[in-house]
Amino acid sequence: MANAARYCRPGDRVNLWARVETGEALLTVADTGPGIPAEELPHAFERLWRGRDARHIAGSGIGLAVVRELITAHGGAVALESPPGGGLTVTIRLPARHPATAG
């Protein structure tokens, strides 16, 4: 959410969905911002990496790397999609546990 707020332009939209599907908790954040160019998308989770269009925006380039580490430490996965026309969708998948079995 912080990245969406940081990179979106005035008038862009951010949508958030949460649901449980096939034993997984899914959290999706999708925006209509500028997105990430296809050639840069594979690098988005690298520590300290900043895209060429992000250089004018404050940040260290560590946020998505930390997100990936936290999600994978909990047995989940995170993926990014950014179509050529712009926008970015971040999908987080975590194992869902029934409250009665949570520890």
Side-chain angles (χ1 to χ4, degrees), residues 44-95:
F45 289 114
E46 294 176 13
R47 268 184 213 279
L48 305 178
W49 182 83
R50 306 248 341 201
R52 69 173 182 263
D53 295 335
R55 307 230 183 259
H56 68 283
I57 297 173
S60 64
I62 197 165
L64 287 175
V66 170
V67 166
R68 182 178 63 180
E69 290 297 320
L70 287 170
I71 297 303
T72 56
H74 290 281
V78 59
L80 302 175
E81 294 178 55
S82 188
L88 181 67
T89 300
V90 180
T91 303
I92 296 171
R93 296 176 172 275
L94 290 166

Side-chain angles (χ1 to χ4, degrees), residues 1-17 27-34 87-90:
M1 293 297 295
N3 275 359
R6 184 175 293 130
Y7 289 98
C8 283
R9 306 154 297 202
D12 283 337
R13 299 185 68 161
V14 178
N15 293 300
L16 175 67
W17 296 277
L27 176 65
T28 303
V29 179
D31 68 50
T32 60
L88 181 67
T89 300
V90 180

